[in-house]
Amino acid sequence: MNRQLIQKAAEDILRSKKTIAFTGAGISVESGIPDFRSAEGLWQKYDPEEYAHIHAFYSDPDKVWLMLKDMFTLVMTAKPNPAHIGLAELEQMGLLSTVITQNVDGLHQAAGSKNVIEFHGSHRTLSCLKCSTTLDGASLKIEDLPARCPRCSSLLKPDVVFFGEPIPPKAQTYSFRESKSCGTVLVIGTSAVVYPAASIPIMAKEEGATIIEINMEPTPLTGQISDYLITGSAGKIIPAIVEEVRRQR
Ligand code: NAD
Ligand code: ZN
C-alpha cells in the first residue's frame, strides 16, 4: 500500500469543502459478491450482456430469474466489509456527504451510511410489473422465487436497473447535483464504463474537484480524470485512509 498516497487522500478529504464517494461492484467483492470482471463467479455463468438486459427479462423471465435467484441469495446473505464500514465512519465524522453507488446490494446502508443514492436501484426490494406493488425481499424465501405479486399475480421484478432501463430520475438528479458541487470524489471499485453513472466523476472534475481512484487496476479514468490512483483492495485502503484522517485531524 502506498503510504504517501494514503496521506495525500486524507489531506484532500480534510481540506475539501465537500467529499462524496462513487462506488461500484469492486467494493463488495470482499463481501463475497463477485464483480462483472472477476475471473470466477456469477458472471462467468451468466453473461451480463445476455442476462442483464431488460429485453431479456421481458422475453424470457424464467431464464433471467435463474441469474436473479443466485444474485438474490448473495445479496441477502452478504455482510458489509471494512470498506463499507470506513465510508460510514467518514460520514459519521462529518467528512463524507454522500455515497453514490452503482451497487444493488444495500451494503452501504447495512454498514451504517445514511446518505446513500442507489443509482442502479436495489436488489432488496421487488415490484410488480403490472400494479407496482412493492415487496421487501427479506419477506421472501429463495424457494418462493420467481415470486408473483400478492395482489394481481403478475410477475415481480427486483428493483434493479437493467441495461436498457432509465436511471431512477431522483437518483440521477441528486447524484449530478452532488457531483457538480463537491470538492473531492472517492471513486472506489468501479470499472467506470457504464454510463450515465461513469459521468459522475467526469462532471465533478469539470467543476474542479479532486478525483481519487481506489481500484485493483487502472480504469479509463486513470490518468485522464483521476488525479491519482491508489492501487489495492478497497477493504484495506479505505480503513487506512480513515485511520490517517483521524491522525491528521
Ligand atoms: P465492474 O465489475 O465493471 O468493475 C469492478 C471494478 O472493481 C474493477 O475495475 C475491478 O478492478 C475493481 N475491483 C475488484 N475488486 C476490488 C477490490 N477488492 N477493491 C477495489 N477494487 C476492486 O463493476 P461496476 O463498475 O460497478 O459496473 C458493473 C455494474 O454491475 C454496476 O452498474 C452494478 O449495478 C452491477 N453489479 C452490482 C453488484 C453489486 O451490487 N455488488 C455486483 C456486480 C454487478
Ligand atoms: Zn401486481
Side-chain angles (χ1 to χ4, degrees):
M1 199 171 357
N2 187 324
R3 290 303 322 174
Q4 258 175 334
L5 288 182
I6 301 283
Q7 281 170 12
K8 196 162 152 44
E11 282 164 24
D12 283 332
I13 291 168
L14 285 166
R15 222 186 283 137
S16 171
K17 57 175 176 180
K18 169 156 121 182
T19 300
I20 64 171
F22 174 57
T23 68
I27 197 170
S28 295
V29 166
E30 288 159 276
S31 293
I33 305 177
D35 63 6
F36 276 170
R37 275 147 191 84
S38 60
E40 301 286 313
L42 200 59
W43 312 111
Q44 293 304 111
K45 204 156 112 192
Y46 307 108
D47 175 2
E49 293 293 319
E50 194 184 331
Y51 282 84
H53 204 286
I54 191 64
H55 296 314
F57 187 80
Y58 283 123
S59 63
D60 196 348
D62 288 340
K63 175 178 151 180
V64 172
W65 259 107
L66 292 175
M67 178 268 288
L68 293 174
K69 268 171 92 156
D70 281 1
M71 188 67 183
F72 181 84
T73 310
L74 280 170
V75 163
M76 298 313 276
T77 54
K79 298 274 181 291
N81 69 56
H84 300 105
I85 293 164
L87 292 183
E89 286 171 353
L90 279 180
E91 179 182 331
Q92 185 79 42
M93 292 159 80
L95 294 171
L96 186 71
S97 155
T98 309
V99 176
I100 304 169
T101 188
Q102 298 167 83
N103 296 343
V104 294
D105 53 32
L107 291 180
H108 286 298
Q109 295 92 324
S113 284
K114 300 279 181 260
N115 200 18
V116 181
I117 305 174
E118 293 178 310
F119 204 81
H120 291 156
S122 170
H123 220 289
R124 290 180 173 259
T125 58
L126 302 95
S127 294
C128 173
L129 292 172
K130 215 171 222 158
C131 75
S132 303
T133 295
T134 296
L135 252 79
D136 186 346
S139 69
L140 295 169
K141 288 196 208 62
I142 188 77
E143 309 82 83
D144 303 333
L145 298 175
R148 296 211 159 252
C149 174
R151 261 175 62 195
C152 77
S153 302
S154 294
L155 196 59
L156 294 171
K157 174 185 159 294
D159 292 330
V160 297
V161 177
F162 279 63
F163 289 119
E165 281 193 304
I167 303 303
K170 264 195 203 151
Q172 177 154 333
T173 307
Y174 189 39
S175 299
F176 286 3
R177 203 187 317 155
E178 283 295 272
S179 67
K180 285 180 187 153
S181 62
C182 70
T184 301
V185 189
L186 301 170
V187 180
I188 308 162
T190 175
S191 58
V193 293
V194 179
Y195 280 83
S199 60
I200 287 164
I202 299 174
M203 284 187 318
K205 179 73 176 184
E206 281 167 1
E207 297 297 324
T210 302
I211 314 296
I212 307 170
E213 245 192 318
I214 296 152
N215 202 307
M216 304 293 278
E217 57 187 36
T219 74
L221 299 178
T222 314
Q224 306 289 325
I225 297 296
S226 319
D227 288 85
Y228 50 99
L229 164 69
I230 311 180
T231 309
S233 88
K236 292 217 168 64
I237 290 171
I238 303 295
I241 294 175
V242 176
E243 197 190 308
E244 182 60 24
V245 163
R246 286 211 172 92
R247 209 184 59 79
Q248 287 187 24
R249 207 140 88 122

